[in-house]
Amino acid sequence: QVQLMESGGGLVQPGGSLRLSCAAPGIFTRIYFMGWYRQAPGKQRELVAASGASTNYADSVKGRFTISRDNAKNTVYLQMNSLKPEDTAVYYCNIRITGGNYWGQGTQVTVSS
């Protein structure tokens, strides 16, 4: 069974930075999609950044967040800069292969002074 290992969340002041990581050590086939979603209290889960056939970002994070991946390590990263209080949410990584769609356990990101 594939388990994704997320890390990097925490508490940061507005304007600060965090880097999230998500590793998928149990996957031995081609990963065609790696992405990050987030869910704030009372809101639906939304796509933040995606790396597949192309790279895409939610309008609210463009210019501040960067998604990257290390295919040799089956790892995806989300570098988050200039964080705002409205970025506060639980962040989930999502990895897709043919026949499989996997989610991380979620990591809390809180942006507050």
Side-chain angles (χ1 to χ4, degrees):
Q1 184 172 349
V2 174
Q3 289 190 332
L4 306 186
M5 298 160 49
E6 290 189 32
S7 62
L11 172 64
V12 63
Q13 292 185 342
S17 298
L18 283 174
R19 188 190 194 211
L20 307 183
S21 300
C22 175
I27 293 178
F28 301 99
T29 187
R30 189 179 75 88
I31 296 173
Y32 67 83
F33 176 91
M34 303 180 94
W36 291 92
Y37 290 73
R38 69 185 180 187
Q39 188 166 19
K43 295 187 177 181
Q44 289 188 331
R45 189 173 297 189
E46 63 172 350
L47 178 64
V48 175
S51 174
S54 60
T55 300
N56 296 288
Y57 297 93
D59 288 342
S60 59
V61 307
K62 283 181 181 176
R64 301 187 297 121
F65 290 11
T66 302
I67 188 170
S68 60
R69 55 194 286 178
D70 184 336
N71 291 326
K73 296 181 179 179
N74 283 356
T75 300
V76 60
Y77 306 94
L78 185 67
Q79 178 66 44
M80 304 185 293
N81 298 328
S82 302
L83 282 160
K84 304 176 181 180
E86 51 263 43
D87 295 317
T88 295
V90 178
Y91 285 70
Y92 299 88
C93 64
N94 176 230
I95 291 178
R96 302 173 196 171
I97 61 174
T98 300
N101 183 15
Y102 305 103
W103 291 89
Q105 79 278 8
T107 186
Q108 177 70 46
V109 171
T110 302
V111 185
S112 174
S113 55

